[in-house]
Amino acid sequence: MPEKIYRVDVCIVGAGPAGMILALLLAHQGIKVLVLESHHNFERECRGEVLMPRFIQMMRQTGLLSCLEKYPHLKLKNFELHYKDKILANLDFSGICPEAPFALWMSQTVMLNALREKAATYPNFQLLFGVTARDVILEGEKIVGVTATRRAEQFEVRARVTVGADGRTSAIRRTAEFKMEYEDYDFDLVWFTVKRHECFENTVRAFFTPRRTYLVLPKHPDLFQCGILVGKGEFAQIREQGIEAMKQELLNAHPMLHDFARQLTDFEPFSVLQARVSYVARWAKEGCLLIGDAAHTCSPAGAIGVSVAAATAIVAADVIIKGFKRGDLSFATLSKVQTIRASDVQRIQTMQGFFTTAAFLKYPRLRPLALLSIFTLARAGILPKFFRRIAVMDEPLPIDPAISLENPPVV
């Protein structure tokens, strides 16, 4: 028997951006929310810290932007594509999205703490760290909560809605037996951090070299977060070649990497992210909903994974709030989240696939042709339009304006 039973309206497993945004919007409407997070705090290294204009648009729509802007961040004005020492394209955010003329760099630790501080102003919000979700609780065909442990204590959470926001390795997705519609994995991203030189402005960049594609993202206050696109499992082969070969490759890539390369003595500064793109066939079951990376993952291309997850969380908040108002939290109601979000998610995943193809991880001999194509598209004004379709929302999210934090609660 569990030592304790929590009874709430909504239990959210996972306190990442999607989970915390959902929790805050629900708490603002008087819905009793409990968030369970496996880590012991928000102090951890994250990669999804560049937030494209579509994120700015969503935060304005929900009344969250003014809250987040009080915390340390950088405003990024453009996205550059480079080949060696030449700029192939310079995409100015003000031209692509006048209504949100910048991308935002914000540490995910800072963002999550900001969301928690705001949510904590509502007495119906609670967050528990250091919790391992063990299983979902079934009554017939309906999921009515989860079993979990914390510091060897076993407990249950009983909820009218259980939300899996626990990432790409979601325990809720696994234990509730949600099925994948597809999962693709073509490349890895090798991450590392370098000191920012004063001559390099805070700009999002992609560097193409004869061998590799590099992503370079500003990191507050004076760093760059860099990623190298490599073939699936290829980093193991790179390690076998030794650190000197890695140093030489970085020295040949770009001057901003030279100081970092010269100081390398081992592979400790590098971490590998598997660039998996996935999509769950059905995001809802009776009493349960998946959001964010638990429901759909994006590749790192375009730095929009957090934005896509946040959009699903906001739509989920709107659907759940309306469901509480009507007294209808059925499978049909929860399924509306996927109905609203599916086309946008899959369109973005498809467009990201074009970028992966352009990187020519499988066909490096065709790289010069790909770079020429990028340059031609930029000169013709087509590339900014292509990028806008990923980085910008053409229309606001289809949600009730009343759920904004700038408005009084509607429940």
Side-chain angles (χ1 to χ4, degrees), residues 21-22 25-26 312-322 337 403:
I21 288 171
L22 173 61
L25 293 174
L26 295 180
T312 300
I314 293 166
V315 169
D318 185 61
V319 168
I320 291 171
I321 290 166
K322 290 173 180 174
V337 177
I403 78 167

Side-chain angles (χ1 to χ4, degrees), residues 169-357:
T169 59
S170 171
I172 300 303
R173 185 181 66 215
R174 173 176 50 80
T175 57
E177 298 183 346
F178 285 89
K179 305 300 182 184
M180 284 289 187
E181 183 168 318
Y182 56 79
E183 186 172 18
D184 299 323
Y185 169 33
D186 292 325
F187 68 97
D188 293 327
L189 203 56
V190 181
W191 287 108
F192 58 99
T193 301
V194 304
K195 189 77 173 176
R196 180 174 67 85
H197 289 243
E198 293 183 1
C199 59
F200 293 111
E201 296 180 354
N202 288 320
T203 297
V204 181
R205 296 176 175 89
F207 288 112
F208 297 94
T209 74
R211 291 193 63 198
R212 306 281 187 202
T213 298
Y214 293 76
L215 302 180
V216 180
L217 312 175
K219 186 176 177 69
H220 188 274
D222 58 356
L223 301 172
F224 277 127
Q225 190 173 56
C226 304
I228 314 173
L229 278 70
V230 302
K232 180 169 60 176
E234 186 182 354
F235 191 61
Q237 302 171 19
I238 294 173
R239 291 179 68 101
E240 290 176 0
Q241 295 170 8
I243 195 62
E244 290 302 319
M246 186 66 173
K247 288 173 66 172
Q248 192 58 52
E249 181 164 319
L250 294 175
L251 288 170
N252 292 336
H254 195 275
M256 74 160 50
L257 304 178
H258 286 182
D259 288 346
F260 172 80
R262 293 189 184 104
Q263 296 172 22
L264 279 176
T265 58
D266 55 38
F267 286 94
E268 184 65 26
F270 300 97
S271 60
V272 180
L273 173 68
Q274 294 181 346
R276 293 183 182 272
V277 175
S278 63
Y279 188 88
V280 174
R282 291 187 177 181
W283 305 354
K285 293 192 173 188
E286 286 290 350
C288 188
L289 174 68
L290 300 182
I291 65 170
D293 282 359
H296 49 73
T297 60
C298 293
S299 90
I304 57 167
V306 172
S307 299
V308 175
T312 300
I314 293 166
V315 169
D318 185 61
V319 168
I320 291 171
I321 290 166
K322 290 173 180 174
F324 270 98
K325 287 181 66 178
R326 297 193 312 271
D328 178 8
L329 296 166
S330 64
F331 166 75
T333 292
L334 298 181
S335 294
K336 291 179 181 178
V337 177
Q338 185 172 7
T339 300
I340 295 168
R341 290 288 300 137
S343 61
D344 184 50
V345 170
Q346 293 183 312
R347 177 183 62 81
I348 287 172
Q349 289 177 333
T350 299
M351 296 184 72
Q352 287 184 315
F354 296 154
F355 178 86
T356 302
T357 301

